[in-house]
Amino acid sequence: MGYTGSARRSGGKLRAARKLSSVRRSQLVTTYGVGSLVAVDNESFIVSGLDSWDISEAPEIHERRLAQLLGVDSFRLPPAPDQESAKDGVRVRRFPEYYSCPSCHALQNFREFNTAGEKANCGDCDELLVPSRFVLVCDGGHIQDFPYSKWVHRGKGASGFCKGSLELRAAGASASLRAIVIECSCGEKASMEGVFRRKALRELGIHCSGRSPWLQDDNSAPCDRTPRTMQRGSSSVWNPVMSSALSIPPFSEGVHALVEREKLMDAPDEKAVLWFCSNHHAKLQQANATSGDVLRVVAELNAAREREADGGDAEIVSSASLRVQEYRSLVAGSRERPDDGLQSFVCEPPEGSLDPLGEFKVDGVMLVKRLREVRALAAFTRGTPSEENADDARQAPLSKADLKWLPAIEVVGEGVFVRLEEDEVRRWETREAVRDRVSVIRDNHLKLLRERAALDPLTSVDQVTSPVSARRVLLHTLAHALINEWSLDGGYPASALRERIYAGSEMSGVLIYTATSDSAGSLGGVVAQGEPARLAQTLGSALLRASWCSNDPLCMESKSSGVDGANLAACHACVLLPETSCENNNCFLDRALLVGGSSGKGLAYFAQAA
């Protein structure tokens, strides 16, 4: 994936942007998306907004349900122009703008170094420059250079207005903040100790500048949030807000898939649809459809779109309703149709009897032999990740213009869907021991959310809610236990497996699946793990492994653990997973709900099996 730097003016002329580096397409959605910082050699850049991307050759991705949820028409794969002939791709801009020279110690704006050509070298001593280690961010997504001059001249009457030159020196061999000293030519100097304290910035009168350097024509917007200092390479500088959806019937097969892929809903009239059908017999044959089928489906979809435009109820209004539809499709299943070349969702029950799973209170198992998932980047946050299903005012936009597309990737894979007995789950979650145990996690999470809301002037503390429930914690921990077991028994690395939790008033299931672009995506190994006899062995082994942790009794008796204290009995020695596998950032986990704990009986869902 080719990156290009911003075009520059030289001698009054616009100079062509230069090629910088390359990353995988998927990384432009998950790791190096819009607004993130990218290190290239000894330089640092920020990925520009979507309105600066060259998408002329970027393939279009369609996923109707996800597009409706995010309010767009379609999705695009990040552009991947040819490395040799391309002149454009994904644009980046230099950020931070402050650099230092390790030889002459100068600390100033990059433009003041009199660099030779495009090289990031000091014009005086020809040493490689170093980007500023510190940046200021706010919870609204804004980011700016650290105000070194104000920091050095703190406590002075004209704080930050000295026009002297700055130098950055590392005192001694220590890597501590106290060893980093900023000196001004006027004689003032200060170490960077205490730079991460919000109170220190507030006392200096440093406010958020409202800068959004990733957007075109970056104009500072008023912002009342208090900024905080972060290291440029910190993972908290950029947190993607991802949304994903599985392709399910009817849009994952046959004529519906054909209409979706060929955008026939946007055809001007019926004659245009008939023209397409008469000139694309092979595509109709692949979908096992006739021109009459195509006309019927186009009419139905257009009628639904008109009802929604007239104020009717939308099919997908939240990620919760999206999950409900997926859950119903996973329960109902979808047999493979050899005559349908467009089918991307095959979900069938196993051939063997479910009797071996009876002791585990499992109500059903489905083998998802083929699935397609679309993952889209909807926004991003700085500081703390956005909560799932939250209408977060902290989410920063990906472009200045109101675009009708978002960057996304599509992946294919396979999986196993396990559904617990609804009546058993309902009886279990009403137990007093279970309610008391889960209330600890919920209270810890609510306390955290309220502390964050108190720091954000745009968020009301009274409106903060937590998604934690006994059912959710049970299913989430079960998914982690299964993934850990399959990574040992099935030959898959844990990072190649993902979870999808279906926890609601009428939902109690987990989907463990592979959905990657490499060879671990769909080789049949995960589906084989879903056969009832083998799954029963896996569950027994997973529960036995979860009943003991090398950190016990500290792990089992913990009152708060994990990220932001949103776990109980869960650590890296038992049920935590790589970040790519967990959709909840390794939060809301407690293996005591699976196998019981030291607090007494009535806690474990799998009490008899364990």
Side-chain angles (χ1 to χ4, degrees):
M1 180 58 245
Y3 276 102
T4 58
S6 312
R8 294 183 178 179
R9 290 191 177 274
S10 178
K13 296 181 180 179
L14 192 64
R15 188 163 57 193
R18 64 183 174 116
K19 297 178 183 178
L20 292 175
S21 184
S22 62
V23 297
R24 294 192 302 273
R25 264 180 164 163
S26 60
Q27 289 182 306
L28 285 169
V29 175
T30 59
T31 309
Y32 299 125
V34 173
S36 66
L37 299 183
V38 184
V40 181
D41 297 328
N42 65 314
E43 300 177 84
S44 177
F45 301 90
I46 191 169
V47 181
S48 299
L50 298 180
D51 40 10
S52 69
W53 289 21
D54 179 13
I55 59 170
S56 57
E57 298 181 4
E60 202 167 8
I61 300 176
H62 293 280
E63 177 48 55
R64 176 179 171 81
R65 297 164 57 248
L66 187 60
Q68 188 177 48
L69 173 66
L70 298 178
V72 296
D73 294 335
S74 65
F75 304 96
R76 293 271 189 172
L77 278 174
D82 183 81
Q83 290 291 321
E84 301 299 329
S85 59
K87 296 182 179 179
D88 208 345
V90 175
R91 295 251 169 174
V92 298
R93 295 182 172 89
R94 187 178 299 281
F95 189 87
E97 296 175 353
Y98 263 70
Y99 279 64
S100 63
C101 175
S103 180
C104 66
H105 307 293
L107 174 65
Q108 58 193 11
N109 194 291
F110 180 81
R111 294 188 299 269
E112 299 175 0
F113 275 102
N114 192 26
T115 57
E118 298 293 350
K119 293 183 179 180
N121 289 25
C122 178
D124 296 329
C125 45
D126 202 32
E127 285 284 341
L128 293 177
L129 299 176
V130 179
S132 172
R133 177 177 167 182
F134 306 99
V135 294
L136 286 190
V137 305
C138 84
D139 288 336
H142 302 126
I143 187 169
Q144 65 194 76
D145 279 272
F146 184 81
Y148 289 101
S149 184
K150 282 191 175 183
W151 183 259
V152 172
H153 297 91
R154 51 186 170 173
K156 307 301 178 183
S159 176
F161 290 99
C162 174
K163 296 183 179 179
S165 58
L166 298 178
E167 292 185 355
L168 185 151
R169 296 180 181 273
S174 172
S176 67
L177 293 175
R178 181 180 297 180
I180 302 175
V181 178
I182 311 299
E183 299 182 3
C184 180
S185 58
C186 71
E188 294 292 334
K189 64 180 180 179
S191 75
M192 298 299 290
E193 186 178 18
V195 73
F196 293 118
R197 293 189 298 110
R198 286 199 185 198
K199 184 178 180 181
L201 298 179
R202 193 180 300 115
E203 291 173 349
L204 287 176
I206 297 176
H207 304 287
C208 177
S209 65
R211 285 200 61 195
S212 303
W214 67 94
L215 298 178
Q216 288 187 351
D217 303 323
D218 172 31
N219 296 318
S220 298
C223 182
D224 296 329
R225 296 179 172 92
T226 301
R228 54 178 149 169
T229 306
M230 287 189 182
Q231 298 200 62
R232 173 173 49 87
S234 169
S235 59
S236 297
V237 169
W238 187 82
N239 302 297
V241 178
M242 303 288 295
S243 293
S244 68
L246 301 181
S247 295
I248 59 175
F251 300 103
S252 63
E253 56 190 19
V255 61
H256 282 85
L258 177 65
V259 171
E260 181 92 356
R261 295 183 186 186
E262 302 298 332
K263 298 186 289 186
L264 296 180
M265 288 176 58
D266 299 327
D269 51 36
E270 186 176 301
K271 291 182 179 180
V273 177
L274 291 174
W275 178 92
F276 171 86
C277 294
S278 62
N279 287 275
H280 296 85
H281 293 291
K283 292 184 177 181
L284 262 67
Q285 186 177 5
Q286 185 184 23
N288 191 28
T290 66
S291 58
D293 296 331
V294 175
L295 286 173
R296 174 181 55 80
V297 170
V298 169
E300 291 175 355
L301 294 178
N302 280 328
R305 186 160 60 177
E306 290 176 2
R307 287 194 300 270
E308 183 180 338
D310 292 338
D313 294 334
E315 181 183 2
I316 301 294
V317 295
S318 67
S319 57
S321 57
L322 183 145
R323 289 292 174 102
V324 169
Q325 286 190 353
E326 292 179 2
Y327 182 79
R328 291 172 179 170
S329 293
L330 288 166
V331 172
S334 178
R335 293 281 183 178
E336 185 167 13
R337 297 166 50 189
D339 57 348
D340 185 356
L342 299 180
Q343 188 178 20
S344 58
F345 181 80
V346 177
C347 180
E348 300 176 346
E351 295 181 358
S353 169
L354 296 181
D355 291 343
L357 295 170
E359 64 174 315
F360 298 101
K361 306 172 188 176
V362 172
D363 191 36
V365 177
M366 298 296 282
L367 307 181
V368 187
K369 298 180 179 180
R370 189 183 308 149
L371 63 82
R372 170 181 178 264
E373 182 188 19
V374 175
R375 304 172 191 163
L377 175 63
F380 68 88
T381 63
R382 303 199 191 276
T384 55
S386 180
E387 293 292 326
E388 184 183 7
N389 302 333
D391 184 15
D392 201 333
R394 299 182 302 115
Q395 294 182 4
L398 302 182
S399 67
K400 202 165 188 177
D402 184 18
L403 302 179
K404 288 301 181 180
W405 65 274
L406 288 172
I409 55 174
E410 58 178 346
V411 290
V412 295
E414 56 172 340
V416 174
F417 175 67
V418 179
R419 188 173 82 257
L420 302 182
E421 293 181 2
E422 179 62 32
D423 293 339
E424 288 290 339
V425 173
R426 191 175 291 112
R427 281 193 290 268
W428 170 83
E429 63 187 357
T430 58
R431 298 177 188 172
E432 183 178 357
V434 173
R435 292 200 307 267
D436 292 343
R437 180 86 178 183
V438 174
S439 66
V440 176
I441 302 179
R442 187 186 302 109
D443 291 344
N444 289 344
H445 190 228
L446 275 174
K447 179 181 178 182
L448 172 70
L449 295 178
R450 287 166 180 162
E451 289 175 353
R452 292 176 181 173
L455 298 174
D456 189 347
L458 300 181
T459 303
S460 173
V461 177
D462 298 332
Q463 296 178 351
V464 171
T465 59
S466 172
V468 174
S469 67
R471 181 179 304 221
R472 183 185 184 92
V473 177
L474 169 68
L475 292 168
H476 191 202
T477 312
L478 174 61
H480 279 229
L482 285 174
I483 290 177
N484 276 329
E485 197 64 29
W486 283 349
S487 69
L488 297 172
D489 184 54
Y492 286 88
S495 58
L497 299 174
R498 292 173 61 88
E499 66 179 8
R500 206 164 178 85
I501 310 300
Y502 298 90
S505 58
E506 301 296 332
M507 298 191 298
S508 56
V510 296
L511 173 65
I512 310 298
Y513 65 105
T514 65
T516 65
S517 56
D518 58 20
S519 59
S522 54
L523 299 178
V526 173
V527 167
Q529 300 293 329
E531 291 298 333
R534 179 173 290 186
L535 181 58
Q537 293 179 355
T538 300
L539 281 169
S541 179
L543 294 174
L544 180 62
R545 196 181 305 277
S547 65
W548 184 85
C549 171
S550 60
N551 286 328
D552 280 342
L554 295 178
C555 178
M556 182 61 76
E557 297 177 358
S558 171
K559 299 302 181 183
S560 175
S561 67
V563 179
D564 298 324
N567 294 329
L568 288 182
C571 70
H572 284 286
C574 50
V575 294
L576 296 191
L577 291 177
E579 291 183 359
T580 55
S581 301
C582 179
E583 63 178 359
N584 288 300
N585 198 31
N586 272 331
C587 293
F588 318 139
L589 296 165
D590 182 15
R591 58 190 174 89
L593 297 185
L594 298 181
V595 297
S598 57
S599 58
K601 298 181 179 180
L603 194 59
Y605 178 82
F606 299 101
Q608 295 180 353

